[in-house]
Amino acid sequence: MQCGVVVTVDDGRVVRVRGDAEHPLSRGYTCPKGRALGEFHHHPLRLDQPRMGPSGDTVPVSWDALLADLAHRMGQIIERQGPDGIAVYFGTWSWIDAFGKRAADRLWRHLGSRSRYSALSVDAIARSFVAELMGGSASLIPSLDPDSRGLTLLLGSNPVVSHGHSSGLVDPVTVMRTLAGRGGLWVADPRRTETARLANGHLAIRPGSDPAVLAFLVGAVLAEGLDDRVYLHHRVVATDLAVVARVVEPWTLERAAERTGLAPDELTRLLDALRASPGRRVTVATGTGCTMASAGNVTEWLAWALQIVTGSFEHPDGAWFNPGYLMRLDERTLPKADGSAGPGPASRPDLPGRFGELPCAALADEIEAGNVRALLVFGGNPVTALPETRRLTKAMARLEILAVADVIGSDTVALATHVLPVAGQLERTDVSFYTDLFPTVRFAHHSPPVLAPVGERRLLGEVLAELGSRLGLEPEPDPLSAMVRMAPEVREPGLYFADEPRPRGWVHERMLPDGRWRLAPPVLVEQFERWTAADPGEITEAREAPSAPPATVVIPRRSLRRMNAGLRDIARGGDDVAVWVHPVTAAEAGLDPGATTAVLHAMAGDGELTVEIKITDDIVPGALAVPHGLAGQNVSVLTATGFGGGGVDPLTGMVIQSGIPVRLTP
Ligand SMILES: Nc1nc2c(c(=O)[nH]1)N[C@H]1C(S)=C(S)[C@@H](COP(=O)(O)OP(=O)(O)OC[C@H]3O[C@@H](n4cnc5c(=O)[nH]c(N)nc54)[C@H](O)[C@@H]3O)O[C@H]1N2
Ligand SMILES: Nc1nc2c(c(=O)[nH]1)N[C@H]1C(S)=C(S)[C@@H](COP(=O)(O)OP(=O)(O)OC[C@H]3O[C@@H](n4cnc5c(=O)[nH]c(N)nc54)[C@H](O)[C@@H]3O)O[C@H]1N2
Ligand SMILES: [Mo]
């Protein structure tokens, strides 16, 4: 996404991929996924030929036949039950094919279908939700600044492997070392991760207990008095501050220690690190360990609250917000949103629609109810990414249309009725439009193709323009110019850096509703009060019989050489798939000390999974760290879409994928 690579081609074959030493941002760095571009390009499972037929039984056809059939069937569904019968799912890789994504968005707007789904509602929707509630726009994405002198606190993120969540980090080891050497780096994670090893402090916390750490810190800062009263006076409503002070008050040092399983001394050391930071500024970055947990919204809320009450947002020693090189949010007047939900899916009125999308948790219901009869998948793999795999795959196999645009065979491609072999990264022009807000400096790139598409592969943008034409939509004459409208120089291929790499102040000046943060959105306050009330610290008397086995929960983790389900066909050489289990947890479950496999049984539903395990004390007891995206070991079979067990967050429709209660057996 951000690293410059030099690809050497000889007679149509990629012979070498290396980091571009001249690239001003990545300076020669690439991750293993980037270096695998060549191997991926020539992989035998790459899709080179359109296919069509009953689910799981497709045969090679021409593009013309495929698009004619697709348009005809889509037309029939629209006629019969309206455009909502045609759903789209945008996966992670759809965002890096700018022309394809733009064409798909345009087509769905033209169809008028409300059935839009994306990986947002299985990844980090809490972040957009909280940004909208507290700052007035879901587009506000706090970004780490490696040059900050303040403290950095990472919760539920392992950038050394993932390269960051809300901010995409180039060369994360160097960034983490720099942060640790400046204002200090602290990591809260139930696992001793690669990132935790580089930190000044590692809090090995119980899964799902992050709000306790943050509430304790917010409470301590408020109790000690603020370094910067003028800031708060101007930027926060006093009654909101009082609400926050009231609801964090129960989270004393002792109670936070009890809830997180940490020693009080560890939390005191963290507080001391905050006190030692210049002006007490802090950057708090959350990752999927938090956004996928049932307390995802309140964790994000308290993370923002801590940064606001310490005056850290947009301060040189705190996080900044990337307004984008192409989007130029700082030069625009964005509509102010207040976090209210749109209409939900017809079959699940209990779930909200948000950000123009429906939650993925409802997709199986929508198909089973007959509301969705066609699903088009772009750059995603719902079979491993979406909840209740068994139920969902059954439903998907009954669709009239399951059209999948991918570059390589996948679990979802295997179920497709229409397989669209699209051009990959080396075969297309790309512009960083949909990833514009994520880099750690404000920059854009426009890269031309390196190679002509192999076989029958075609550009997704072109394919969709043709499909659109058959459905009555004129092709967009110049999508590139439309995407670079605010920065027309990017029409020419190249790299573009803004004069001011990390602008600060624009959110305060232009974005905040009435110039103030909404510090205490009632829905979040209420969700946090419920979280506090449900804490066993307060209801010890009413606790279940002590003989009940301690809760064992699945938590997510990423692997270095894969990208979710992507690249797993070429990942090798130590890319671990094993589930981390603490020796005490293993013993309590009756596992042999030398065991290498075990079975996970979901507490909600009938999900069951046989997994490879690694017994290690680099994880807290009770947590099972399961990598995501594997075929034979698909963790999503353990997820659920009701409100109990793992379940779904009622405010966002987010599927709980961190802290899934399971039983572990030999
Ligand atoms: N239980 C559980 N569920 C999870 C998670 C978890 O940790 N646990 N993680 C969640 C998260 S964070 C996410 S983002 C989602 C991921 O959800 P998805 O985005 O649905 O899944 P990916 O595995 O990223 O699928 C990417 C697909 O894109 C294809 N692809 C690669 N390059 C291209 C290209 O250039 N063009 C096109 N068209 N396709 C391409 C790949 O071959 C692959 O099939 O899963 C979520 N679901
Ligand atoms: N190499 C590689 N890079 C990737 C991906 C990949 O598959 N492979 N996927 C990409 C995608 S789609 C995403 S969304 C990002 C995700 O990026 P990150 O959010 O950084 O994801 P992880 O590296 O899994 O780190 C999550 C951490 O949260 C911890 N954790 C789990 N539960 C809890 C909890 O309750 N509290 C706390 N404090 N920690 C918890 C886990 O142990 C894990 O170390 O990575 C992206 N980058
Ligand atoms: Mo993700």
Side-chain angles (χ1 to χ4, degrees):
M1 180 177 121
Q2 293 180 57
C3 297
V5 289
V6 178
V7 180
T8 312
V9 178
D10 182 19
D11 196 19
R13 280 205 77 79
V14 179
V15 290
R16 192 163 169 228
V17 179
R18 63 177 169 82
D20 179 3
E22 321 258 277
H23 192 285
L25 189 62
S26 58
R27 287 185 252 130
Y29 178 84
T30 53
C31 73
K33 298 178 271 109
R35 288 194 297 276
L37 269 171
E39 201 181 336
F40 190 52
H41 180 76
H42 295 293
H43 195 279
L45 292 179
R46 282 292 285 253
L47 304 173
D48 294 335
Q49 167 78 48
R51 300 178 70 90
M52 188 166 82
S55 171
D57 199 16
T58 56
V59 294
V61 291
S62 69
W63 272 108
D64 198 52
L66 182 141
L67 292 175
D69 185 74
L70 198 51
H72 174 70
R73 286 171 194 264
M74 286 168 76
Q76 283 182 324
I77 294 171
I78 293 170
E79 209 160 282
R80 201 170 64 225
Q81 64 187 84
D84 291 351
I86 299 178
V88 62
Y89 170 71
F90 291 107
T92 325
W93 294 68
S94 62
W95 281 276
I96 58 161
D97 177 356
F99 292 87
K101 174 81 166 69
R102 185 171 174 90
D105 277 332
R106 212 170 147 261
L107 180 55
W108 257 258
R109 265 200 310 279
H110 166 74
L111 297 177
S113 168
R114 288 202 318 112
S115 300
R116 291 172 50 103
Y117 299 82
S118 88
L120 180 67
S121 58
V122 282
D123 181 339
I125 193 168
R127 203 170 285 138
S128 314
F129 183 50
V130 166
E132 186 170 295
L133 282 169
M134 298 182 79
S137 168
S139 303
L140 300 183
I141 302 169
S143 187
L144 286 177
D145 180 352
D147 294 329
S148 133
R149 294 170 310 148
L151 174 71
T152 303
L153 174 57
L154 286 180
L155 302 163
S157 182
N158 184 20
V160 170
V161 164
S162 70
H163 292 69
H165 192 266
S166 56
S167 13
L169 303 175
V170 171
D171 192 0
V173 170
T174 302
V175 174
M176 292 300 123
R177 288 210 170 110
T178 307
L179 291 171
R182 286 223 170 94
L185 172 69
W186 279 65
V187 172
D189 197 307
R191 286 191 305 141
R192 183 154 49 229
T193 59
E194 296 82 346
T195 309
R197 289 173 198 277
L198 301 178
N200 306 89
H202 170 216
L203 304 171
I205 66 172
R206 279 201 191 107
S209 66
D210 301 80
V213 176
L214 294 167
F216 161 67
L217 290 177
V218 171
V221 167
L222 293 179
E224 288 176 13
L226 308 163
D227 284 11
D228 201 345
R229 284 168 193 283
V230 180
Y231 175 83
L232 276 188
H233 177 73
H234 286 292
R235 296 303 184 184
V236 169
V237 179
T239 46
D240 281 356
L241 202 56
V243 170
V244 172
R246 175 176 60 77
V247 296
V248 300
E249 202 209 55
W251 291 98
T252 58
L253 174 65
E254 293 69 31
R255 176 135 180 223
E258 167 87 30
R259 178 70 175 87
T260 54
L262 298 168
D265 173 54
E266 293 176 276
L267 288 169
T268 312
R269 279 181 50 226
L270 170 63
L271 179 59
D272 287 342
L274 176 59
R275 288 183 182 128
S277 172
R280 269 194 298 185
R281 311 292 174 199
V282 58
T283 299
V284 187
T286 61
T288 47
C290 296
T291 58
M292 291 177 177
S294 64
N297 301 333
V298 296
T299 303
E300 201 61 29
W301 170 56
L302 290 167
W304 278 53
L306 181 61
Q307 293 174 94
I308 292 168
V309 300
T310 53
S312 300
F313 272 154
E314 297 201 300
H315 186 280
D317 292 326
W320 62 293
F321 294 83
N322 191 338
Y325 187 100
L326 297 170
M327 307 261 179
R328 305 257 151 127
L329 301 182
D330 51 341
E331 290 167 26
R332 286 156 55 181
T333 309
L334 294 186
K336 304 280 183 281
D338 63 1
S340 43
S347 62
R348 286 295 299 267
D350 52 330
L351 294 177
R354 288 204 178 274
F355 314 117
E357 294 183 8
L358 299 176
C360 289
L363 185 56
D365 297 273
E366 285 289 273
I367 298 174
E368 285 170 2
N371 299 338
V372 165
R373 292 303 304 147
L375 174 64
L376 283 82
V377 175
F378 300 118
N381 189 10
V383 173
T384 51
L386 304 194
E388 286 183 356
T389 315
R390 289 186 184 143
R391 186 177 153 215
L392 180 67
T393 46
K394 257 189 223 139
M396 286 202 302
R398 284 207 309 263
L399 285 165
E400 284 172 50
I401 299 171
L402 176 60
V404 184
D406 207 307
V407 293
I408 193 163
S410 76
D411 325 71
T412 305
V413 167
L415 290 176
T417 58
H418 298 72
V419 179
L420 288 69
V422 292
Q425 285 180 71
L426 298 179
E427 300 162 320
R428 63 185 187 232
T429 301
D430 261 311
V431 54
S432 51
F433 184 70
Y434 293 96
T435 54
D436 195 38
L437 306 182
F438 296 99
T440 46
V441 293
R442 183 186 208 183
F443 94 114
H445 65 83
H446 170 184
S447 51
V450 176
L451 288 156
V454 171
E456 304 247 339
R457 301 178 196 172
R458 284 187 61 188
L459 297 168
L460 178 60
E462 271 177 32
V463 168
L464 291 177
E466 206 174 307
L467 180 65
S469 294
R470 293 173 193 258
L471 291 162
L473 173 65
E474 290 286 313
E476 186 175 27
D478 187 0
L480 175 62
S481 295
M483 285 188 276
V484 304
R485 191 171 51 87
M486 305 286 287
E489 67 277 16
V490 183
R491 265 200 299 254
E492 292 301 316
L495 274 172
Y496 300 87
F497 289 87
D499 295 337
E500 211 183 350
R502 300 188 182 105
R504 285 176 156 90
W506 66 275
V507 172
H508 283 87
E509 281 153 31
R510 304 198 54 136
M511 292 299 308
L512 292 187
D514 310 317
R516 289 189 159 88
W517 299 102
R518 299 187 194 117
L519 189 65
V523 287
L524 296 177
V525 170
E526 202 183 296
Q527 210 172 29
F528 179 62
E529 287 190 291
R530 268 205 304 277
W531 190 81
T532 299
D535 174 51
E538 278 208 332
I539 53 165
T540 321
E541 298 306 312
R543 233 167 171 167
E544 287 292 295
S547 60
T552 315
V553 295
V554 162
I555 61 171
R557 80 167 216 269
R558 312 272 134 186
S559 308
L560 189 63
R561 291 173 183 76
R562 285 183 282 115
M563 169 66 193
N564 304 332
L567 302 178
R568 69 185 176 203
D569 306 295
I570 58 176
R572 61 173 125 68
D575 206 42
D576 55 339
V577 298
V579 173
W580 293 21
V581 186
H582 190 273
V584 167
T585 311
E588 278 173 359
L591 302 189
D592 206 78
T596 54
T597 59
V599 185
L600 309 178
H601 312 260
M603 306 292 266
D606 57 358
E608 191 182 297
L609 194 61
T610 303
V611 295
E612 273 182 46
I613 61 162
K614 169 173 116 179
I615 299 179
T616 163
D617 50 19
D618 281 339
I619 188 162
V620 300
L624 305 167
V626 185
H628 159 68
L630 295 166
Q633 188 182 299
N634 179 359
V635 63
S636 291
V637 305
L638 301 171
T639 50
T641 64
F643 288 108
V648 174
D649 175 68
L651 295 179
T652 58
M654 172 74 195
V655 180
I656 310 307
Q657 298 160 161
S658 178
I660 310 166
V662 293
R663 206 159 45 81
L664 177 69
T665 63

